[in-house]
Amino acid sequence: MSSSDQQPITYADAGVDVEAGDRAVELMKASVKATHSPAVVGGVGGFAGMYDASALLKYKRPLLASSTDGVGTKVAIAQAMDKHDTIGFDLVGMVVDDIVVVGAEPLVMTDYIACGKVVPERIAAIVSGIAEGCRLAGTSLVGGETAEHPGLLGPDEYDVAGAATGVVEADAMLGPERVKAGDRVIAMASSGIHSNGYSLVRRVIHAAGWDLNREVTELGRTLGEELLEPTRVYAGDCLSLMRTLNTEPESPEAPLRGFSHVTGGGLAANLARVLPTGLAATVDRGTWELPPIFSLISQLGKVPQDDLERTLNVGVGMVAIVAPDAAADAIAHLNARGLQAWDMGEVTELTDEIRADEATVQGAKGVDGGAVRLVGNYAN
């Protein structure tokens, strides 16, 4: 066929619906705008999100903290359940809670959604979750991108990613250099599996032949509902705790030493990242009960305990390291905010005994940090 006989090919013929994209933006405008503080300049839809950084003038030496992440294969659960208003919440938690680990306040966030076909209502649902998470974290959602990739992704497939930027005073930054022997390790309960380890979880469920709509007595709801439980956003709680305990944040003796966000790699590996070399944290499993979903995955897939603990958060989503005389106040403060918290261990010198223990984790994700070992059995 000659080129003169060929019918015109439009962008829509290629699978991209520009009008659907515009409709999606209109549907998400209200939820995005609800996250905006007075520092946000301009509205939704510009080429760049603008933020008035005048507030940084009050800092003596402001350090910008940035983080980027996604939610992994948890999106496959959302797609299978056709429920999309919580996955954005997961995205916010994965991004902003990495920033607060150093004591930074997350200021702005942007998102990226790649999909096989723009369904405006679906995209708006995803963004509404992102916006709600940002609202709870006190972070402005200043921009984003929705990209339609027909032929690369199926019509009902999508993936999400995001990035955030925050700020912390240099002298108030939290980190390993503040941690001392004798400090207490304070756990903050997770809301569930959060957004790590879903490749393992999905493999276990598939091997067992379980359906996502299966009612599970010990969970009190369907399996799919449990697996879509949103990641808890700790940013507001962590910043509130830091401001309460560290009334003199620039002092090296400030009682809140640091945080650890329990994500990929599990509790021990992530806690080890925020300890200095030469120190170790011993965590007592007997201080908490393993939540039902983790017991279920372990039993259903005969998952070894060490593999479970390297992959999933086992009920602890964030950790605070505090001076021993501040532990009770830290727990009381977090509990008063509706967040279950407890003392689960102590920081000590790294002894030969701890170093020789096969269960000890030392150094993780390229960080030559301290050591962590989990001891005992879960309370249940």
Side-chain angles (χ1 to χ4, degrees):
M1 183 175 64
S2 67
S3 59
S4 60
D5 296 328
Q6 182 176 322
Q7 294 297 312
I9 299 175
T10 66
Y11 207 9
D13 292 330
V16 177
D17 190 338
V18 176
E19 291 183 1
D22 291 342
R23 173 62 177 158
V25 172
E26 287 300 320
L27 291 176
M28 70 177 72
K29 266 188 175 181
S31 59
V32 173
K33 190 173 182 180
T35 72
H36 289 180
S37 70
V40 176
V41 178
V44 178
F47 280 94
M50 302 292 290
Y51 189 85
D52 185 345
S54 300
L56 269 61
L57 296 174
K58 69 182 181 182
Y59 290 83
K60 290 183 292 184
R61 186 187 169 204
L63 299 181
L64 295 181
S66 65
S67 176
T68 185
D69 211 336
V71 299
T73 61
K74 189 171 184 175
V75 294
I77 306 294
Q79 291 160 18
M81 295 287 290
D82 195 22
K83 181 174 172 56
H84 314 283
D85 59 349
T86 61
I87 205 74
F89 210 99
D90 293 288
L91 180 63
V92 176
M94 294 302 291
V95 174
V96 302
D97 287 342
D98 277 359
I99 286 177
V100 299
V101 164
V102 296
E105 177 184 357
L107 301 176
V108 296
M109 181 166 176
T110 57
D111 65 73
Y112 176 78
I113 304 170
C115 60
K117 177 180 175 59
V118 170
V119 179
E121 293 75 15
R122 181 189 299 155
I123 300 299
I126 296 170
V127 175
S128 72
I130 299 174
E132 178 60 16
C134 283
R135 186 189 66 79
L136 286 176
T139 307
S140 295
L141 182 58
V142 297
E145 169 71 4
T146 300
E148 201 167 21
H149 293 164
L152 182 63
L153 295 169
D156 295 323
E157 294 179 336
Y158 61 82
D159 198 9
V160 295
T165 300
V167 63
V168 61
E169 184 67 70
D171 291 342
M173 184 177 68
L174 304 178
E177 63 280 355
R178 289 178 175 252
V179 180
K180 300 174 173 60
D183 286 347
R184 304 305 302 182
V185 181
I186 308 301
M188 301 179 217
S190 67
S191 56
I193 296 178
H194 286 184
S195 299
N196 288 104
Y198 274 81
S199 293
L200 171 64
V201 171
R202 290 168 52 243
R203 177 67 179 271
V204 167
I205 292 168
H206 176 75
W210 281 32
D211 187 271
L212 292 175
N213 293 314
R214 180 180 181 134
E215 292 283 347
V216 183
T217 303
E218 52 263 54
L219 300 178
R221 53 181 168 178
T222 69
L223 178 62
E225 289 169 337
E226 176 70 26
L227 296 182
L228 278 188
E229 179 66 34
T231 300
R232 175 168 276 145
V233 177
Y234 297 94
D237 299 307
C238 290
L239 292 173
S240 175
L241 181 64
M242 182 178 67
R243 291 164 184 153
T244 299
L245 293 184
N246 289 5
T247 54
E248 297 180 8
E250 297 174 5
S251 168
E253 301 302 318
L256 177 61
R257 319 296 202 195
F259 295 110
S260 174
H261 188 199
V262 183
T263 56
L267 174 57
N270 283 289
L271 181 53
R273 295 168 70 188
V274 298
L275 299 177
T277 56
L279 293 186
T282 298
V283 172
D284 182 2
R285 297 185 185 94
T287 59
W288 80 97
E289 293 186 356
L290 190 66
I293 183 59
F294 300 102
S295 298
L296 178 67
I297 295 301
S298 177
Q299 295 164 12
L300 203 59
K302 294 183 172 60
V303 181
Q305 180 169 290
D306 60 347
D307 198 73
L308 190 80
E309 293 174 341
R310 284 197 307 264
T311 308
L312 304 177
N313 67 57
V314 295
V316 180
M318 181 71 80
V319 175
I321 304 171
V322 303
D325 58 359
D329 288 341
I331 293 169
H333 183 84
L334 293 168
N335 288 344
R337 292 177 63 87
L339 178 57
Q340 182 186 2
W342 65 95
D343 188 327
M344 68 173 179
E346 181 182 19
V347 177
T348 64
E349 299 290 342
L350 177 56
T351 64
D352 290 340
E353 177 191 355
I354 296 174
R355 188 181 286 108
D357 191 332
E358 292 183 357
T360 297
V361 174
Q362 186 170 10
K365 296 193 176 182
V367 177
D368 185 19
V372 176
R373 65 171 177 171
L374 274 61
V375 300
N377 298 313
Y378 295 105
N380 53 339

